[in-house]
Amino acid sequence: MKMLFLGTLYPHEREQEFMQKSRMFDFPGNALQWSLIEGFGQLVDLQIVTAPSSLRYQGLKCAGSTFSHNDGVTTDYSVDFIDIRVLKQLISARNISKIIDNQYYDVIFIYSINANLLRPAYQYKKKHPNVKIVEIITDLPMLMSSSTSIIYRTLKRMEVIADTKYMKAVDGFILLAPEMKNKLPIENKPWIQVEGIFNPKDKVKDSISKAEGKVVLYTGNLDARYGIMDLLNAFSLTADPSYRLWICGSGDSVEAIHNCEKRDNRIRFLGFVPRCEALKLQKQATLLVNPRHSNEEYTKYSFPSKTMEYMASGTPTLMSRLKSLPDDYIPHLLFFDDENVEGMSKKLDEILSKPSDLLAKFGNQAAEFIMNSKTSIHQVKRIVDFIEKL
């Protein structure tokens, strides 16, 4: 099976460039795509063509390049584009088509809902009707922004119309959450849920000791809509002076977090840290928390990638019972009984008062669950089996 992977990932050798020159670096999306490639690379003949995620790339013009995901055996492509929303879509779609039009693929695998990826696949299928097109839907863009800009919303509506047209060529869907099917033009086409993938290469191999005291850690997006302020307020209600709360990331709550830090000396804001550093901090902590609430509409249509990342660290994970959570995760997670500030605080006290050896045992069992059933090879094997049946 020869597969074309159309994505938005960053070639490894250009990651620092995009971090420095773009206002946005898609850490979760990049990690998921490389995890997919880790699995596909062991199961199919794979080529990658990517239009990397970016936002106002410095100088606006981003040069194309070649790279290889398998030590030079295959030539992969990162296409050039001008980083202005509409122009990027048009130019990158054209450049993708130039690369793929004269090649043959059995399968085109598309990462998420991106018109600049869908359009070349749609056009390719017109010439090669036997090609199977499979798309993984990681989120629903129309639900993932709170922007009130009329221009933004107009462009978004135009994109949805284009996406709907191009998705008619898709033969099968990979969904991170089952509820997504009710918001997409899937109709009666086959789909499976693959909620995420953990890349074993991301597991910290070093022996890292737990930090002194009882440390609660949150790493990730610090926008208020993800519940970060509720976590801070809940922690402040706990009274034990040995407790610590570490916060890492960036978002619209940074100023409010600094204010909490000033009022409670148990709170430390570490700012934005590289992912490798975040993974080490997760192993040092006593408890990892994801404070997003289950009653938020968007939680029905997404699966937070940090759930797998947290669990793989071997540190217990506390979160809400999100509607997108598959049943097999439930025995390996801790849940808030009440998602208000008082209920969250009570649960923090309850867990942090448990003996360290019990918490370590629970965390290690969760890590084993991830490594035994949710790694690249396990999850991608399910996807390949699904594709072969289309």
Side-chain angles (χ1 to χ4, degrees), residues 148-186:
T148 58
S149 164
I150 294 175
I151 295 175
Y152 175 86
R153 291 188 174 276
T154 300
L155 289 172
K156 184 57 65 179
R157 280 195 295 270
M158 293 171 62
E159 287 177 8
V160 169
I161 292 170
D163 293 338
T164 302
K165 172 186 174 182
Y166 298 139
M167 286 170 73
K168 292 183 184 299
V170 177
D171 298 291
F173 294 86
I174 315 298
L175 307 181
L176 266 64
E179 286 289 332
M180 285 179 161
K181 69 182 186 296
N182 299 321
K183 293 285 186 179
L184 295 166
I186 288 179

Side-chain angles (χ1 to χ4, degrees), residues 10-11 48 50 154 178 180 312:
Y10 311 96
I48 304 165
T50 181
T154 300
M180 285 179 161

Side-chain angles (χ1 to χ4, degrees), residues 214-215 235 238-245 266 348-349 352-353:
K214 298 291 181 74
V215 175
F235 180 83
T238 65
D240 194 315
S242 71
Y243 292 173
R244 299 286 182 269
L245 174 61
R266 300 176 301 163
L348 288 173
D349 271 323
L352 294 175
S353 65

